Amino acid sequence: MIVESLRGRDLLTLQDLSPEEIEALIRLAAEMKRDRGRYGGSLAGKSIAMIFEKPSTRTRVSMEVAARELGANPLYLRSDELQLARGEEISDTARVLSRYVHLITARVRRHQDIEELARWAAVPVVNALSDIDHPLQTLADLLTIWERFGRFRGLKIAWIGDGNNVCNSTLIGASKLGIHVSIASPKGYEPNRRYLEYAMENARRSDCEVEVLEDPEEAVGDADVVMTDVFVSMGMEAEREVREKVFLPRYRVDEALLAKAKPHAIFMHPLPAQKGKEVARDVIEGERSAAWDQAENRLHTAKAVFASILG
Ligand code: CP
Ligand code: NVA
């Protein structure tokens, strides 16, 4: 069943969704995964503009295939080929695209730009990654966790490394669903302060715990899921040398660190990965890695989002 309450709404951050809406999206995505042709053609006649200011493999391809499987028409738009690159204002771009398409997704360098896009667009806007949030990734990750554990409440995620966009959205999604989150980040690389406040408030309501630590070994204790992401996100390439000095070797997820989590703990990574940096090659390639399922689930969760918002 599509999530009716999402019809016509933006998805800039999971903080704007209720726990029930998030769980309903996961159920819908699981249903779409079981029967890939279901809802086929349900978005016939709809067009979806996908603006990208940064590279993408998973997000671009999963959204494009999702749109087509639902019968919609996806338009991949590189921002450097739009008039945006020549200074056309976001507000003008938003109003014009709204005259052509039924939904706009955007991957942006600055989160305030997608907020500006949403403010001016007459159609719903979906965040395809910003510097501080990646809600579509977290939906796929939650589906993956559901598939592995069959529940959310009471599980524990340990996030090791950079308190980046994926860390922020994980904090929000997990804390809404009652999943404990322990973050281990070096000083100065903690998650976004505002997101941490949201997560603390969510955790109070859902009766779970959110903590930010420095020590990876302490964070992985009792964890069901050990997650990480690159130390150098897109747009931060100039900081590579400094960051690698700060993060390595302490924040690399290797077998020894994973062994300190629960015996059944799984490893998760949104990809793309820098094998040997934030994660040891044998961990991401190993039996406990859920990275490939996470990537696959981007398709089914994107379909659930599009079908619900445009349904
Ligand atoms: N995980 C993710 O968003 O990957 P892409 O950058 O390839 O889209
Ligand atoms: N934190 C990474 C995630 C990529 C999907 C980045 O922003 O580059």
Side-chain angles (χ1 to χ4, degrees):
M1 281 252 299
I2 65 164
V3 188
E4 306 259 356
S5 61
L6 295 185
R7 182 173 299 148
R9 275 167 60 189
D10 296 330
L11 175 52
L12 302 190
T13 169
L14 293 180
Q15 186 60 21
D16 295 339
L17 269 52
S18 70
E20 294 72 27
E21 286 169 335
I22 295 173
E23 292 202 45
L25 273 176
I26 304 299
R27 274 198 303 277
L28 174 61
E31 181 192 345
M32 289 172 150
K33 185 172 180 174
R34 275 194 302 276
D35 181 359
R36 192 134 164 201
R38 188 125 201 258
Y39 301 95
S42 61
L43 298 186
K46 309 276 189 198
S47 291
I48 298 177
M50 316 191 312
I51 303 174
F52 280 85
E53 283 189 346
K54 297 176 178 181
S56 171
T57 298
R58 280 143 288 269
T59 307
R60 177 195 174 171
V61 178
S62 63
M63 292 198 307
E64 198 158 329
V65 173
R68 288 196 198 282
E69 288 193 4
L70 296 170
N73 171 39
L75 295 113
Y76 173 67
L77 306 171
R78 280 175 56 141
S79 64
D80 61 353
E81 292 175 355
L82 295 174
Q83 296 289 11
L84 269 175
R86 294 181 55 253
E88 183 166 20
E89 291 180 8
I90 291 173
S91 56
D92 295 1
T93 305
R95 283 177 286 181
V96 171
L97 288 180
S98 299
R99 302 285 176 113
Y100 305 131
V101 305
H102 304 88
L103 187 147
I104 303 171
T105 75
R107 169 166 284 195
V108 296
R109 280 186 278 274
R110 304 181 326 153
H111 191 78
Q112 57 262 45
D113 289 345
I114 196 160
E115 290 177 336
E116 172 84 354
L117 190 69
R119 194 169 307 123
W120 287 94
V123 298
V125 172
V126 171
N127 183 356
L129 179 146
S130 71
D131 52 342
I132 59 168
D133 206 323
H134 196 4
L136 295 177
Q137 181 65 47
T138 296
L139 287 173
D141 295 352
L142 290 170
L143 172 57
T144 309
I145 290 172
W146 178 260
E147 291 172 338
R148 299 285 175 131
F149 296 97
R151 67 192 173 102
F152 294 121
R153 186 165 297 281
L155 293 174
K156 175 180 167 181
I157 297 175
W159 177 277
I160 309 301
D162 193 18
N164 63 14
N165 43 10
V166 180
C167 177
N168 293 329
S169 57
T170 300
L171 256 176
I172 298 300
S175 61
K176 288 236 173 194
L177 300 188
I179 304 175
H180 308 294
V181 189
S182 280
I183 292 166
S185 298
K187 276 215 165 44
Y189 296 88
E190 297 91 352
N192 178 283
R193 186 177 292 276
R194 191 160 48 92
Y195 276 61
L196 196 52
E197 282 167 14
Y198 291 150
M200 297 280 185
E201 179 55 33
N202 297 339
R204 264 193 292 279
R205 289 169 198 262
S206 70
D207 195 24
C208 66
E209 278 170 40
V210 167
E211 58 181 1
V212 181
L213 311 166
E214 250 191 283
D215 181 9
E217 297 198 0
E218 192 182 343
V220 299
D222 272 339
D224 302 280
V225 175
V226 177
M227 265 192 202
T228 190
D229 187 13
V230 288
F231 299 141
V232 183
S233 283
M234 290 181 277
M236 294 179 178
E237 288 76 10
E239 297 174 38
R240 178 173 301 281
E241 209 178 322
V242 175
R243 285 178 163 263
E244 290 187 353
K245 269 207 188 91
V246 171
F247 286 99
L248 288 170
R250 191 178 184 199
Y251 292 89
R252 176 184 299 127
V253 178
D254 57 15
E255 286 291 357
L257 185 63
L258 198 55
K260 296 198 160 66
K262 284 197 183 140
H264 64 251
I266 61 168
F267 170 76
M268 294 181 71
H269 192 306
L271 303 177
Q274 292 265 305
K275 298 176 192 173
K277 296 277 175 66
E278 73 276 5
V279 58
R281 186 173 284 272
D282 54 352
V283 168
I284 194 164
E285 300 290 0
E287 278 189 343
R288 296 162 80 179
S289 171
W292 322 108
D293 290 343
Q294 290 172 261
E296 177 185 347
N297 286 339
R298 293 294 308 271
L299 170 64
H300 310 295
T301 44
K303 282 171 82 174
V305 167
F306 289 161
S308 296
I309 292 178
L310 289 177

